[in-house]
């Protein structure tokens, strides 16, 4: 199938051709006709499947079809809600590229950055708005955004939005849009809570399911290292020094604290690294991402939430410094390598207390990871969990008493 068969207009086809896309991806092939047919759609597809273009191209087409409508000031007719700022910015970039030869206008709004320029952009009149939930509601409350003319609402990465606690915001946003709108829900996974949300806000939806091969992709070598927790940093440095070298690498850690600590160690050892996590300012996160995208640095350390959905191409290596406790997260992480048929390697570090995670991951991907036994920091196979406070000695802190700092730390771990 070609993009022409999908009944896209010339200006859109021209932009697609310039972007270098030859044929539609599976999610595009299945979703675009449904969206053009004004259907509600529930699509389970991860980043890397081409899902952004699946909704962006069809929305542009729908809006182009109605270009003849009176031009008395543009009204926002399509709204894309995204969980993270980076993803919102990336979706906006995509829309802008695909809309190059149309006069459709887009804007993006997200928190963590000054609100005034965003207000100005909105005042100029736009057709398509991409937003994170909090800033969107904020601007709506201030009467800067009118959602009365929304024809298509997209909820992107719905599972992540729910994980991040946006359920009430999403329901509110949905209610602020007209009842008659078309709704498209994209989610990497379809847990019960996403199904519940879909049931309440999407009537008679068509379902599209596309599983990316990368979870067990032949192109990704998946290597497992058993290593004592305190030796993980050394193993990481050893691999970067001897095996990975200058390859483009993302290192995933579970916590913001862990990300900061590892970044510092890498910098101290003379490596070009930067990091993204939820406690960094929006501009710092953007700078880090741009540096990585432009190849100014070759190592990015990230938490899952900060990195989710971000399209980083030409990635050679993923290091799972901490194994994720949710097995699907492993699939998201390694799905970032070996895109577009390139080869990639995923290194996973497993300490004694993470062995159960390996079992869950292997079950999910239906594949046994290759265990690398020849490395300088092997874990004693009999090692039990590395428990930090023994029952006998107990914690040096009394139960029920937490310092202010630790209470603050509890706030957001991603
Ligand atoms: P996404 O799943 O939306 O994050 O897209 C993943 C990557 O695939 C992005 O870099 C897109 O530019 C690229 N892409 C999207 N559609 C196509 C296509 N039809 N052909 C080739 N690459 C594509």
């Amino acid at each position: 199938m070609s993009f022409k068969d999908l009944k896209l207009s010339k200006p859109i086809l021209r932009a697609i051709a310039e972007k270098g896309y030859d044929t539609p991806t599976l999610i595009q092939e299945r979703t675009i006709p449904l969206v053009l047919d004004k259907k509600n759609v529930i699509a389970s597809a991860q980043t890397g499947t081409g899902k952004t273009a699946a909704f962006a191209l069809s929305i542009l087409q729908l809006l182009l079809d109605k270009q003849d409508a009176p031009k008395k000031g543009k009204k926002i007719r399509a709204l894309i809600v995204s969980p993270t700022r980076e993803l919102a910015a990336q979706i906006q970039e995509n829309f802008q590229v695909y809309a190059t030869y149309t006069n459709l206008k887009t804007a993006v709004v997200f928190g963590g950055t000054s609100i005034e320029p965003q207000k100005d952009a909105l005042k100029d009149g736009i057709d398509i708005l991409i937003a994170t939930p909090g800033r969107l509601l904020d601007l709506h409350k201030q009467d800067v955004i009118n959602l009365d003319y929304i024809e298509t609402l997209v909820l992107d990465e719905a599972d992540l939005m729910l994980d991040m606690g946006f359920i009430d915001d999403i329901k509110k946003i949905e209610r602020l849009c007209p009842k008659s709108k078309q709704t498209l829900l994209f989610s990497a996974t379809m847990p019960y809570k996403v199904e519940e949300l879909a049931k309440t806000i999407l009537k008679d939806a068509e379902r599209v399911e596309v599983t990316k091969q990368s979870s067990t992709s032949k192109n990704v070598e998946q290597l497992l290292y058993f290593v004592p927790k305190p030796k993980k940093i050394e193993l990481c440095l050893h691999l970067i020094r001897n095996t990975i070298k200058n390859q483009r690498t993302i290192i995933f850690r579970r916590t913001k604290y862990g990300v900061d600590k590892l970044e510092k160690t890498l910098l101290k050892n003379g490596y070009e690294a930067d990091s993204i996590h939820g406690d960094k300012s929006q501009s710092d996160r953007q700078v880090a991402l741009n540096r990585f995208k432009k190849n100014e640095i070759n190592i990015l350390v990230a938490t899952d939430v900060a990195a989710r959905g971000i399209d980083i191409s030409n990635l050679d290596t993923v290091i799972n410094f901490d194994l994720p406790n949710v097995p699907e997260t492993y699939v998201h992480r390694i799905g970032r390598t070996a895109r577009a048929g390139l080869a990639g390697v995923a290194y996973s570090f497993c300490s004694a207390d993470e062995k159960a995670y390996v079992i869950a991951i292997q079950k999910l991907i239906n594949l046994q990871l290759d265990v690398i036994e020849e490395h300088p920091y092997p874990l004693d196979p009999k090692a039990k969990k590395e428990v930090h406070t023994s029952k006998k000695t107990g914690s040096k802190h009394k139960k029920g008493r937490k310092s202010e700092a630790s209470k603050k730390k509890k706030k957001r771990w991603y």
Side-chain angles (χ1 to χ4, degrees), residues 3 19-25 28 46-53 90 94 98 309 311 313 339:
F3 280 107
K19 180 94 175 124
Y21 301 168
D22 296 328
T23 46
T25 64
Q28 290 159 5
Q46 312 168 13
T47 308
T49 53
K51 70 183 169 72
T52 314
Q90 187 179 289
N94 274 265
Y98 305 141
D311 175 38
S313 45
R339 285 208 181 155

Side-chain angles (χ1 to χ4, degrees), residues 331-348:
V331 178
H332 292 312
R333 289 180 178 183
I334 75 154
R336 296 173 167 282
T337 62
R339 285 208 181 155
L342 299 168
V345 186
Y347 299 87
S348 297

